[in-house]
Amino acid sequence: MTPGELVRRAGIDRGEAETLLGHVLKVDRAWLFAHADEWVCEAAALKFQHLVEARRKGEPLAYLLRYRDFWTLRLSVNQHVMIPRRETEHLVEWAIECIDAGATRILDLGTGSGAIALACKAERPATEVWGIDSSKDALACAEANGRSLGLDVRWVVSNWFGALPTAEWDLLISNPPYIAANDVHLTQGDLRAEPSSALVGGATGLEAIERITEEAPPFLTMGGWLLFEHGYDQSLTVQAALRARGFANIATRSDWSGLARLTGGQWWN
Ligand SMILES: C[S@@+](CC[C@H](N)C(=O)[O-])C[C@H]1O[C@@H](n2cnc3c(N)ncnc32)[C@H](O)[C@@H]1O
């Protein structure tokens, strides 16, 4: 079959089919258009059809391609890590503001593929960046990403602050699991294939955020920031938790669609 026929007959989103075929043939979209009527060898056609079948069954595109672009980086991903999302780039933007205002030691809690930690390090190489995760497999992915991108981040397997040395950070940043265990979204789209330990924040969805907020202060310098990504309907609860723990300058920011998705506060006590 030709590239044109393969894409037409795939029965999945056309753009995704083109991406998968380009991946198999190691060519870009422009090449597929220019060579739409040429013959694709049987081995490549078969490989493409296997990928299409997996996609049809709900395997996320990023897991099939084995990468996802985040910020300026191409990150390897696998089934042990949550696929980095565009919204999380807002958290990186906020982190960079904090770095430019003086933060030099940064800790990414629940680093997954290493997305936030690596983006901060890539953008501001003079900072000291740590990334922790309770999943050894996730951390192996983050570590491999750091190595292949040549970014020097310190990786630690840790249950939140549990395995961290007594030290102080100027910026704690986290996109923790924040979906409630019974949330219907967990049965939809890519969420079905991603590790539930990366998604589910207990019965209310807020357990990880509450725990990090409670335990964070001894790990922060005076004036240090704690920044979270959270669900679209959680900003008021996260603000209240930060206020109750003694954080000041509490602020919430919205994502590109105008949803309140990031909340942070500063430690002055
Ligand atoms: C929502 S994912 C975020 C991954 C990555 N930071 C990102 O933005 O793409 C949450 C991450 O928190 C990690 N995690 C869950 N519970 C944890 C815990 N108790 N201690 C440390 N990390 C935890 C998960 O393994 C997962 O990698």
Side-chain angles (χ1 to χ4, degrees):
M1 271 194 274
T2 66
E5 285 166 343
L6 284 165
V7 167
R8 261 195 312 280
R9 292 183 189 187
I12 59 172
D13 173 85
R14 186 190 169 114
E16 291 193 353
E18 287 168 352
T19 302
L20 287 174
L21 187 56
H23 177 68
V24 169
L25 299 176
K26 297 185 175 40
V27 298
D28 63 16
R29 197 157 173 257
W31 189 98
L32 290 179
F33 274 100
H35 299 80
D37 298 324
E38 287 180 17
W39 197 249
V40 173
C41 78
E42 206 164 318
L46 211 60
K47 194 171 172 194
F48 169 71
Q49 276 152 355
H50 284 312
L51 291 174
V52 165
E53 191 49 33
R55 182 66 191 125
R56 220 184 275 125
K57 287 183 178 152
E59 187 71 1
L61 190 65
Y63 288 166
L64 294 172
L65 299 171
R66 307 197 72 75
Y67 71 83
R68 172 54 55 93
D69 291 331
F70 177 83
W71 197 253
T72 57
L73 310 173
R74 174 151 295 185
L75 299 173
S76 289
V77 295
N78 58 42
Q79 75 277 16
H80 300 298
V81 298
M82 196 193 78
I83 301 158
R85 305 292 204 270
R86 285 265 169 271
E87 300 90 286
T88 307
E89 293 178 355
H90 289 299
L91 203 53
V92 174
E93 286 167 356
W94 198 348
I96 287 165
E97 284 177 35
C98 294
I99 293 168
D100 291 346
T104 58
R105 300 195 72 210
I106 294 133
L107 171 61
D108 174 18
L109 293 143
T111 196
S113 62
I116 298 168
L118 291 166
C120 289
K121 185 68 184 177
E123 210 59 36
R124 296 292 183 268
T127 51
E128 179 184 334
V129 183
W130 293 49
I132 69 101
D133 206 288
S134 56
S135 157
K136 279 188 195 144
D137 291 326
L139 214 64
C141 176
E143 210 160 5
N145 276 321
R147 230 183 352 262
S148 67
L149 293 165
L151 294 168
D152 182 20
V153 170
R154 176 101 181 254
W155 308 107
V156 180
V157 176
S158 180
N159 181 358
W160 300 134
F161 297 97
L164 290 173
T166 312
E168 293 184 337
W169 278 273
D170 306 310
L171 173 59
L172 304 177
I173 185 162
S174 187
N175 174 18
Y178 55 71
I179 303 179
N182 64 356
D183 192 313
V184 69
H185 291 101
L186 292 168
T187 63
Q188 298 168 359
D190 287 357
L191 298 187
R192 290 169 296 173
E194 292 174 295
S196 67
S197 55
L199 304 173
V200 179
T204 61
L206 288 156
E207 282 173 23
I209 289 178
E210 285 167 353
R211 177 154 166 212
I212 294 169
T213 303
E214 187 54 37
E215 295 180 4
F219 293 88
L220 275 169
T221 52
M222 199 56 71
W225 282 92
L226 171 59
L227 308 182
F228 286 116
E229 177 175 324
H230 52 68
Y232 71 95
D233 55 354
Q234 294 173 334
S235 62
L236 296 180
T237 319
V238 179
Q239 286 176 11
L242 287 168
R243 202 171 300 114
R245 187 63 181 94
F247 281 86
N249 292 333
I250 295 162
T252 289
R253 296 187 179 188
S254 299
D255 65 14
W256 282 293
S257 9
L259 298 170
R261 295 293 308 282
L262 311 175
T263 295
Q266 219 175 354
W267 185 251
W268 284 113
N269 284 320

